[in-house]
Amino acid sequence: MFTGTTASMPRIQTPRLGGTTGASASRRASRSINADAVAIETDAVTGARAYVVADGVGDHLLGARAARTVAAAAARSAAADGARAGILAAQEELLREVPEPSADSVLVVAVLPAADQPDGPCEVAWVGDCRAYRWNGRVLHQITTDHTVAELYRTRGLASTPRMDHLVTTSARTVRPDAIGYAATGSSTGRLLLSTDGVHKPLGIAAVKAILARGDAAPTIANTLVDAALLAGGRDNATALVVDLPFRPGGTYGG
C-alpha cells in the first residue's frame, strides 16, 4: 500500500495494479503544511482495489495526522469490505488513534473490482467535499455530492455565500453511518479522478474535463490538474489521484 501526505512540490506515485494504473500528485499552496493524503491498497483475496484521497481539516499537524490515519484505514478496509466499510473503519481508527477533537479529515473512497471483472461496478463513498469524477471518453460525471453548507442550502432552494462552499457538514470524526455518501459507476473504460477541493474548486468542471480528456499518461494528468488549480488562484492544498481504467477490446477514451 502507498499512503502519505506530500511536500510542497509535486510528488507523483504510480502503482500499477492488475491492469489499472493510478497516479497521484499533491502540492501545498499558501498553507503552512500539506494536510492531504492518498492511500491505495489491493485486497490479496478478491483483487479489489481501493483508492482514497483525504483532506485534513485545518492548517496544523493534527489535521495532517488525521488525513494520513483515515486514508490508510479506509484503504485497508474498503479493499476487503467495500467503500462504506472503509469510511466506518476510518472513523473508528481516527477516534482510537487520534482522540484530539481538532484532528479531523474529509475523504473519498473508490473501490474497483478485480482486473478479471472489467464490467463490475466501481463503488464510491465519501464524507465532506473531496470528490470523485468519471470520464468515459465523452462525458465527465461528478459522482459525489459535496457535504457542505452551500450544497445543503442549494438543495433547499436557498441562496448561499462563497464561504459556505468551504464549510463541511460532516467529517470522518463526526459522520453517522446513514450520512455517508454512496454511489456506484462503471469501471470498464475511461478515467477516474479523486481530488481534494484545492483542485476542483479553483478549476471548475469544464477545466477538469479538458485535462482528463488529454491523451497524456495518468502521472502527467495528475500533475497538470494540480498545477492548473494553483495557476487558477487556488490557495488550498491541491491533490489529484488519477486512475486509468482498463480498456475493453477496441475501446478508447480521450480526445
Side-chain angles (χ1 to χ4, degrees):
M1 181 185 73
F2 159 73
T3 181
T5 53
T6 52
S8 59
M9 293 300 290
R11 177 180 172 188
I12 299 174
Q13 298 288 335
T14 315
R16 183 176 294 275
L17 303 169
T20 301
T21 301
S24 66
S26 188
R27 192 167 182 175
R28 176 174 60 86
S30 62
R31 297 296 185 99
S32 299
I33 61 172
N34 189 344
D36 291 352
V38 172
I40 303 172
E41 184 150 344
T42 303
D43 184 74
V45 176
T46 67
R49 292 140 295 172
Y51 300 84
V52 181
V53 165
D55 184 351
V57 176
D59 188 16
H60 48 72
L61 289 175
L62 281 174
R65 185 179 174 192
R68 292 177 70 98
T69 299
V70 301
R76 285 194 303 269
S77 181
D81 300 313
R84 274 200 191 101
I87 299 285
L88 294 173
Q91 182 179 63
E92 182 179 354
E93 184 81 359
L94 180 63
L95 294 174
R96 180 174 62 249
E97 297 296 326
V98 198
E100 294 89 343
S102 60
D104 208 351
S105 180
V106 296
L107 70 157
V108 60
V109 181
V111 181
L112 288 167
D116 60 355
Q117 301 175 38
D119 294 320
C122 170
E123 282 192 301
V124 179
W126 70 95
V127 292
D129 56 356
C130 292
R131 290 183 186 172
Y133 296 87
R134 184 182 176 219
W135 164 248
N136 67 4
R138 298 176 304 279
V139 178
L140 179 63
H141 171 52
Q142 181 182 322
I143 302 167
T144 55
T145 301
D146 293 346
H147 294 155
T148 60
V149 174
E151 188 64 30
L152 181 64
Y153 271 47
R154 284 191 285 264
T155 61
R156 297 178 178 179
L158 302 173
S160 64
T161 65
R163 182 172 180 273
M164 292 179 180
D165 277 310
H166 300 279
L167 299 175
V168 296
T169 57
T170 191
S171 66
R173 183 170 291 276
T174 64
V175 70
R176 304 183 315 273
D178 62 352
I180 295 172
Y182 180 82
T185 187
S187 62
S188 59
T189 190
R191 279 183 160 139
L192 185 71
L193 167 66
L194 306 185
S195 59
T196 60
D197 66 336
V199 170
H200 51 256
K201 287 179 180 175
L203 288 179
I205 195 165
V208 171
K209 177 181 177 181
I211 294 170
L212 285 175
R214 298 179 182 180
D216 299 328
T220 301
I221 294 295
N223 203 35
T224 300
L225 284 162
V226 168
D227 284 346
L230 298 185
L231 288 172
R235 298 175 60 82
D236 201 353
N237 300 317
T239 299
L241 171 59
V242 178
V243 181
D244 280 343
L245 302 173
F247 291 102
R248 287 176 176 170
T252 60
Y253 69 89

